[in-house]
Amino acid sequence: MKHIAPILIAAGLFVLASCEKVIEFDDSLTSPSPVLNAIATEGNQLFVNYTYSRFFLDTNNAHPIADVDMVVTANGTDYRPVSVDGCNYFFDYIPHEDDQLGIRVLSAAGEASARTIIPRNPRISTPNVFLQDSVFRTLVINFNIDDHPDYDNYYRFTISQRDSGARYRPYREVYDTIDTTYHTIFFCFDRAITDPTAAATEALGGYLYQQLLTSDKLIDGQDHNTTLMLIMLRDTNEVGTFIHQYSLTVESVSPERYQYLQDIESATSITQLLTEPAPVYSNVNGALGIFAGNARRTYPLYTVVNENDPVPPKR
């Protein structure tokens, strides 16, 4: 038996060595491509990011392109960059509703072009916000969508949550200070905006959303009342003055951005772990990326401050 053990160990090492795989990268896939990205937002200065793509193992985030001649045309008027910061090109132009935009770029990477529109601002009433106690403590957000008649509106609804304060980590017996903002999950039971004939977002469990992409197909021209709900979960490891702040953002997006957001959501869904990655929409000719329009409104909802939470006992 003393001689068998070393033989088994050696055999096991041989099997492991024979199963070792070396990942080979296709050099053609790592060669850089020009990328043009810009979300022209109503009421905000326009800037365009134009750069080379980078390999995912590359730690250098900036890959500027040489000899760039960039022109943005808004309603027939040409604008050139007034300043450049790295790969970002800033213009002395602020988009407005219904603006027609085009971009043309000549550079060492070749020629790129794209077109888009600035959508009309979403007409949203000031949300009525209140807490409701039932099985769970729920934040209810009720508001009206005054939809533009005879106009193709594409909406994006998100709720942002900011967490700021100290949290006790019992498994490490330490206190961590955090200040982070993220899109939190909410409920929506309104079939007029969640029905598959109108919405591009597939709900988790039928009613849960981290973002809701939808059109006005079923509410065109209506003053439509809707409700979103958010479960207020309490973390018992939060200590001292811990702040939770919630805000609702409603966006009108151009058709290009709507398609792009829909493809991003599909590409990052859990089902993609089992399938080949889906292609992501691009409307740029001669480069990768997206050139799209956007208009948004953000409404503060509710702030929770925990001032009297007990401090976990020290061991």
Side-chain angles (χ1 to χ4, degrees):
M1 290 296 293
K2 293 181 180 180
H3 298 289
I4 295 177
I7 294 174
L8 292 175
I9 293 173
L13 292 173
F14 175 78
V15 170
L16 290 175
S18 65
C19 292
E20 183 181 352
K21 298 292 184 181
V22 176
I23 300 177
E24 297 181 356
F25 293 105
D26 185 347
D27 291 340
S28 65
L29 298 178
T30 63
S31 58
S33 300
V35 179
L36 188 153
N37 281 310
I39 304 299
T41 302
E42 189 274 336
N44 291 272
Q45 182 184 15
L46 174 68
F47 76 92
V48 176
N49 181 269
Y50 184 58
T51 182
Y52 280 116
S53 61
R54 66 182 181 91
F55 187 47
F56 75 98
L57 294 177
D58 186 354
T59 57
N60 182 13
N61 291 322
H63 294 271
I65 298 175
D67 303 325
V68 174
D69 178 22
M70 183 181 296
V71 178
V72 168
T73 302
N75 306 321
T77 301
D78 289 344
Y79 296 87
R80 293 184 181 274
V82 293
S83 64
V84 180
D85 182 9
C87 300
N88 292 325
Y89 297 78
F90 294 86
F91 294 80
D92 187 17
Y93 161 69
I94 296 177
H96 297 91
E97 293 179 312
D98 294 326
D99 280 359
Q100 303 285 326
L101 301 186
I103 187 170
R104 178 187 58 82
V105 182
L106 298 175
S107 71
E111 182 176 354
S113 63
R115 299 193 63 84
T116 191
I117 62 169
I118 305 300
R120 297 175 185 174
N121 277 304
R123 298 191 298 197
I124 305 298
S125 65
T126 302
N128 179 28
V129 183
F130 59 92
L131 287 172
Q132 179 176 283
D133 287 315
S134 54
V135 178
F136 297 101
R137 197 179 193 206
T138 305
L139 187 69
V140 180
I141 307 130
N142 181 264
F143 56 93
N144 282 11
I145 307 169
D146 185 10
D147 187 74
H148 298 278
D150 302 319
Y151 180 85
D152 291 332
N153 277 293
Y154 298 93
Y155 296 108
R156 183 189 187 217
F157 298 91
T158 55
I159 295 179
S160 296
Q161 177 174 336
R162 179 194 172 210
D163 294 344
S164 181
R167 180 178 284 128
Y168 182 69
R169 307 291 187 184
Y171 53 89
R172 293 169 53 202
E173 297 185 351
V174 297
Y175 293 90
D176 284 344
T177 300
I178 65 169
D179 192 346
T180 184
T181 301
Y182 56 93
H183 287 159
T184 192
I185 293 175
F186 59 91
F187 288 87
C188 184
F189 301 94
D190 185 354
R191 298 302 297 175
I193 61 174
T194 64
D195 190 270
T197 60
T201 304
E202 191 171 330
L204 298 171
Y207 304 102
L208 289 168
Y209 300 89
Q210 195 165 32
Q211 70 169 353
L212 174 54
L213 296 170
T214 188
S215 68
D216 66 346
K217 188 171 183 178
L218 301 180
I219 61 170
D220 181 51
Q222 299 178 27
D223 189 13
H224 178 74
N225 183 262
T226 192
T227 299
L228 310 179
M229 290 181 290
L230 178 66
I231 293 180
M232 308 292 285
L233 299 175
R234 183 173 180 272
D235 187 346
T236 57
N237 289 321
E238 295 170 0
V239 297
T241 305
F242 200 100
I243 299 173
H244 296 284
Q245 292 178 323
Y246 302 90
S247 60
L248 168 68
T249 297
V250 182
E251 299 173 72
S252 290
V253 300
S254 65
E256 300 85 10
R257 179 158 167 76
Y258 191 76
Q259 183 64 57
Y260 175 78
L261 290 169
Q262 182 180 3
D263 287 355
I264 288 291
E265 185 173 81
S266 298
T268 56
S269 71
I270 193 170
T271 58
Q272 288 299 314
L273 296 175
L274 306 175
T275 61
E276 194 72 21
V280 176
Y281 173 78
S282 172
N283 68 327
V284 181
N285 299 312
L288 305 174
I290 186 75
F291 183 69
N294 191 67
R296 65 169 174 258
R297 292 288 181 265
T298 297
Y299 306 87
L301 297 176
Y302 189 67
T303 299
V304 184
V305 181
N306 301 329
E307 295 181 323
N308 301 310
D309 285 349
V311 176
K314 294 183 180 179
R315 295 183 182 179

